[in-house]
Amino acid sequence: MSAWLAATLPVATIAAESVGALGTAVGRLRGVLGPSPTGAGPTASAERIAASFMGDSMLRLDGAPVQPFADLSGFFRASDGWVRTHANYPHHRTALLETVGLDEGCGTDEFAVRVAGIAAAELEWSCAQNGALAVQVRTEDQWSAEPAGTAAGPGPVIARSDDTGSAAYRVPEFRGTTAAPLAGVRVLDLTRVIAGPVATRALALFGAEVLRVDPPHRPEITWQHRENGQGKRSATVDMSTHEGRAVMNRLLEFADVLVTGYRPGALERFGLEHRAEVLHGRVSAWGTRGPWSGRRGFDSLVQAATGISVLEGSGGELGRLPAQALDHASGYLLAAGIASELADCASGFGSAATVEVSLAGTAAWLLESPGRDPDHGPAETPTPDCVVTNGRVTAARPVFDDYADYPFPARPWGADEALWL
């Protein structure tokens, strides 16, 4: 797999192991439910894993590639180093420009000049206070010396917290088959971008009914929805209204799994009731402990803050991984944790818990893993056999070789009703 995910760090290794963790969990669930008495899990070839992780590179809309980053998302020189910004969403772009004192009509060159006069740590702190996204580019040693780096350091990449006492899950109405062991399981998806949607897309692949809910005033980026919305229905609910909160609480009442990408405490601020009988899967950028636990973040920012961008650079230039591997690995790990908990539930031994992963935790795993290859060649593109076309969209096939495609292509964003089928 190294030819496809060639990098200084062992990206291919963590990609295979995260996907393997999900395959093992699904095999255990199959064994518990009975459709596959041996409990055999699905298999994944190196090339299909690479294609899935490189999903944004493989994606085509009307035959054309997509641009994964907006004009103000990238590396910019600060007065004393480098920063990495993220402004793909319009509201994040607005917050970033307001933080540096520029108006909406600002171009990349004007922005770069302004940032060049600001210290990297100062811009990082100001953005964190104002809902914008920028981090100081650090080496791995600098990150490990930070309190935030210590908090995200060595530990389980899939964390389980039993914070609900002895409460038991409500057992889903499993109607599983070997191909779809999660049939009958209702998953409420409140995530966006990549890691969380990858996790719920994987659950949908195995037969779960996944309903993704977004705020109506924050449309998802089109290409991300087309790639990661496969196999799910898509609805919008305004949780800032009494009516919207009532809809969400009704959905939660009959959900088996809740998957969120909110920062700690956000769910409660929306006025949603915590239901101990619902399995909660949570993904965050920086983890739920430490001084950065309340900060927003994305894969590219975590790469920059943790030292990965420096390690993957060459000739004095900063670099990046050949895929948004922190996102994808975290997504498959989260799906693995959820599937494992459901297997416990189906066997009658599960107790209510929260399953957590973080991009920073996955970055720590990658940085700690042996097998660095600073002399690697360029990453190769998987063959056309690894993609499938549905209408206007050509996307990577599911990561597991047993599946030619997802249950159905991504539905139009927000087109479905916010109810269970």
Side-chain angles (χ1 to χ4, degrees):
M1 196 193 313
S2 57
W4 294 299
L5 292 174
T8 295
L9 292 167
V11 177
T13 299
I14 71 157
E17 291 185 5
S18 60
V19 171
L22 175 56
T24 298
V26 169
R28 192 161 73 86
L29 180 61
R30 285 174 172 175
V32 170
L33 295 177
S36 176
T38 61
T43 60
S45 66
E47 191 175 19
R48 285 278 283 269
I49 293 172
S52 181
F53 270 62
M54 299 170 70
D56 56 351
S57 300
M58 307 297 291
L59 188 69
R60 298 290 185 273
L61 299 182
D62 291 327
V66 300
Q67 173 51 258
F69 293 106
D71 59 340
L72 298 188
S73 296
F75 294 109
F76 291 90
R77 187 177 289 280
S79 66
D80 58 349
W82 289 89
V83 293
R84 181 62 162 88
T85 61
H86 194 287
N88 283 8
Y89 287 101
H91 59 289
H92 288 158
R93 187 180 196 277
T94 298
L96 182 61
L97 290 172
E98 289 177 348
T99 299
V100 299
L102 294 171
D103 60 34
E104 287 286 345
C106 170
T108 306
D109 291 343
E110 184 181 358
F111 178 78
V113 170
R114 179 61 60 89
V115 171
I118 305 173
E122 177 187 347
L123 181 61
E124 178 182 85
W125 183 87
S126 298
C127 285
Q129 304 308 304
N130 296 326
L133 291 139
V135 298
Q136 179 180 359
V137 176
R138 294 169 171 82
T139 65
E140 59 180 322
D141 289 338
Q142 288 172 330
W143 174 247
S144 64
E146 292 272 355
T150 301
V157 289
I158 308 173
R160 182 184 190 277
S161 58
D162 189 349
D163 51 10
T164 54
S166 60
Y169 296 136
R170 178 178 56 244
V171 179
E173 295 180 6
F174 290 109
R175 301 192 301 274
T177 63
T178 299
L182 292 179
V185 177
R186 290 171 168 172
V187 179
L188 183 58
D189 180 4
L190 303 185
T191 67
R192 52 176 35 204
V193 193
I194 298 177
V198 163
T200 54
R201 186 185 64 184
L203 300 178
L205 176 67
F206 294 115
E209 179 188 352
V210 180
L211 176 63
R212 172 166 160 170
V213 176
D214 285 290
H217 56 287
R218 295 277 171 83
E220 181 57 288
I221 296 168
T222 299
W223 73 263
Q224 289 182 168
H225 177 68
R226 292 297 186 190
E227 181 192 1
N228 298 320
Q230 298 174 88
K232 315 173 196 178
R233 290 184 299 122
S234 170
T236 60
V237 175
D238 188 352
M239 288 191 282
S240 68
T241 67
H242 175 77
E243 294 79 7
R245 289 190 293 273
V247 169
M248 291 303 299
N249 278 313
R250 284 197 298 273
L251 290 172
L252 274 170
E253 183 178 358
F254 296 100
D256 301 304
V257 180
L258 169 67
V259 185
T260 65
Y262 294 124
R263 289 167 290 156
L267 200 64
E268 291 75 14
R269 287 196 295 273
F270 282 125
L272 299 183
E273 300 174 9
H274 178 73
R275 298 179 182 273
E277 69 273 18
V278 177
L279 169 59
H280 187 186
R282 176 188 290 166
V283 60
S284 65
W286 309 106
T288 55
R289 295 170 297 279
W292 284 25
S293 63
R295 293 192 183 187
R296 297 174 174 88
F298 292 94
D299 183 302
S300 58
L301 300 183
V302 177
Q303 288 190 41
T306 59
I308 292 173
S309 297
V310 173
L311 287 168
E312 295 298 337
S314 63
E317 297 291 327
L318 296 168
R320 63 185 183 91
L321 300 175
Q324 296 195 62
L326 306 182
D327 264 326
H328 286 272
S330 297
Y332 288 117
L333 290 169
L334 183 59
I338 291 170
S340 182
E341 291 291 322
L342 288 171
D344 286 344
C345 178
S347 62
F349 297 108
S351 62
T354 296
V355 178
E356 300 176 358
V357 300
S358 73
L359 305 188
T362 300
W365 176 34
L366 175 61
L367 289 163
E368 293 161 6
S369 297
R372 294 189 181 188
D373 181 16
D375 300 320
H376 65 86
E380 296 180 7
T381 301
T383 63
D385 290 343
C386 293
V387 300
V388 62
T389 299
N390 290 294
R392 300 175 48 222
V393 182
T394 298
R397 294 186 188 275
V399 72
F400 293 104
D401 300 335
D402 312 51
Y403 298 83
D405 201 355
Y406 290 95
F408 50 87
R411 300 268 301 145
W413 185 82
D416 295 297
E417 291 188 72
L419 50 78
W420 298 113
L421 296 178

